[in-house]
Amino acid sequence: DAKTTQPNSMESNEEEPVHLPCNHSTISGTDYIHWYRQLPSQGPEYVIHGLTSNVNNRMASLAIAEDRKSSTLILHRATLRDAAVYYCILRDVGEYGNKLVFGAGTILRVKS
Amino acid sequence: GAVVSQHPSRVICKSGTSVKIECRSLDFQATTMFWYRQFPKQSLMLMATSNEGSKATYEQGVEKDKFLINHASLTLSTLTVASAHPEDSSFYICSARDPGGGRGDTQYFGPGTRLTVL
């Protein structure tokens, strides 16, 4: 399985942008980069995903390096509700398709 | 986004009893569902891939006779923890793949089931 590396934790001030990095140097040409987040005692929530081009949605932006060996999840204005564990995952195409293998993720703390 | 539910949200049982957890996709048909387990302060660990109408595929180290998975319809998968013991106490989370969601195969997760075995 292709692996990802994320910082253990990051801290941000409320209303400021947050850049969450992810390294995936062994990514293959057909791996999608997925981001999920998990609030305490809840199931993960889909945030965004991309393949080669940068992506934007109502929650966040995803900036993908030209060589695809790294990516950055951008929260444009952090709020207290964005405090969560953020997981960067390369989609692994298993026999029955597309299982997600979670790493340790980044704990994001947001200060008011 | 698509909604996945789980029932029950939490269960407390005595050692030796079996516990069934249901996972439902509420507004889409999921041919594939996934079961994860999460211990405190750890990441999610994939247990098995559940496919409608066929046997589940278990990850290495997960006992298929202990964690029985049935995916009888396109909207329901069940996980039964057979003869549960205290070490099975964990947070069990399911997810469902929405192939028609137009999002490159996004998975949607249930809210999780907290199992405590006394």
Side-chain angles (χ1 to χ4, degrees), chain A residues 41-43, chain B residues 6-10 91-94 109-114:
Chain A
S41 298
Q42 295 186 27
Chain B
Q6 280 185 243
H7 177 80
S9 58
R10 65 177 62 235
F91 192 48
Y92 291 86
I93 307 169
C94 72
F109 287 79
T113 297
R114 177 78 58 193

Side-chain angles (χ1 to χ4, degrees), chain B residues 88-101:
Chain B
D88 299 321
S89 298
S90 188
F91 192 48
Y92 291 86
I93 307 169
C94 72
S95 71
R97 186 167 73 95
D98 181 7

Side-chain angles (χ1 to χ4, degrees), chain A residues 34 36 38 41-44 46 49 87 91 96-100 102-104, chain B residues 34 36 38 43-44 46 51 57 59 97 103-107 109-111 114:
Chain A
H34 285 248
Y36 284 78
Q38 185 180 26
S41 298
Q42 295 186 27
Y46 168 82
H49 80 282
Y87 297 99
R91 190 189 67 190
Y96 288 100
N98 312 315
K99 60 183 180 181
L100 296 175
F102 285 75
Chain B
F34 303 87
Y36 295 81
Q38 185 175 33
S43 186
L44 283 78
L46 179 65
N51 294 280
T57 303
E59 295 298 306
R97 186 167 73 95
R103 289 183 173 180
D105 221 17
T106 300
Q107 285 187 33
F109 287 79
R114 177 78 58 193

Side-chain angles (χ1 to χ4, degrees), chain B residues 49-70:
Chain B
T49 302
S50 166
N51 294 280
E52 188 266 338
S54 63
K55 291 183 179 180
T57 303
Y58 290 82
E59 295 298 306
Q60 191 173 9
V62 178
E63 301 174 57
K64 61 180 180 180
D65 295 330
K66 172 77 171 176
F67 300 99
L68 305 167
I69 292 172
N70 185 287

Side-chain angles (χ1 to χ4, degrees), chain A residues 18-32:
Chain A
V18 182
H19 290 232
L20 297 164
C22 181
N23 287 318
H24 29 77
S25 59
T26 60
I27 190 171
S28 72
T30 54
D31 278 336
Y32 276 82

